[in-house]
Amino acid sequence: MSLLDAARDVRENAYAPYSKFKVGAAVRGASGTIYRGVNVENVAYPEGTCAEAGAIAAMVAAGETELVEVAVIADSPAPVPPCGGCRQKLAEFGRADVPVTLATTAGARLDTTIGDLLPGRFDASHMDNV
């Protein structure tokens, strides 16, 4: 199964009763294992969780801390990019050259990288004097 197929399949499990905007994400860990996540809304809107964060959490819960590929899909007019917080989360676990596929359920696709999504990223090297 492709990473985009994994994101497409899991998207149906998203919990989005308020916005009706379901998002599916999948990351491939360095081991090759695919981890999936969906957005999970909450009536107290700021308390929701993004699909990318869910996929990363599943990867970390399984004992992996490096991702090598990302896919995100939503039913939107154009491929939807990760929010700023998720861009930073992706950068925490993936190198700048990690491929990211953004897609729509209608088939539009944008291929990019973590580095292109988050130029000038804050990373562990900024903490070297701490």
Side-chain angles (χ1 to χ4, degrees):
M1 171 179 284
S2 79
L3 201 63
L4 187 55
D5 287 339
R8 181 179 287 109
D9 289 348
V10 76
R11 180 186 159 276
E12 293 305 316
N13 296 336
Y15 181 75
Y18 308 106
S19 72
K20 309 292 189 237
F21 189 73
K22 293 183 174 189
V23 180
V27 299
R28 186 181 313 279
S31 70
T33 303
I34 294 174
Y35 302 96
R36 300 171 176 128
V38 296
N39 58 315
V40 178
E41 293 180 350
N42 188 294
V43 69
Y45 254 72
E47 298 304 316
T49 303
C50 297
E52 300 90 336
I56 290 167
M59 179 186 75
V60 172
E64 289 203 61
T65 57
E66 181 184 2
L67 58 85
V68 297
E69 187 180 3
V70 179
V72 181
I73 190 167
D75 183 13
S76 58
V80 65
C83 72
C86 284
R87 291 175 195 215
Q88 185 65 47
K89 289 174 181 74
L90 291 169
E92 179 73 18
F93 297 99
R95 295 183 323 267
D97 63 347
V98 165
V100 178
T101 301
L102 306 173
T104 69
T105 55
R109 180 178 169 145
L110 173 66
D111 293 308
T112 187
T113 65
I114 289 176
D116 287 340
L117 287 172
L118 189 62
R121 69 195 225 174
F122 181 81
D123 62 28
S125 70
H126 292 99
M127 303 292 287
D128 285 347
N129 290 336
V130 177

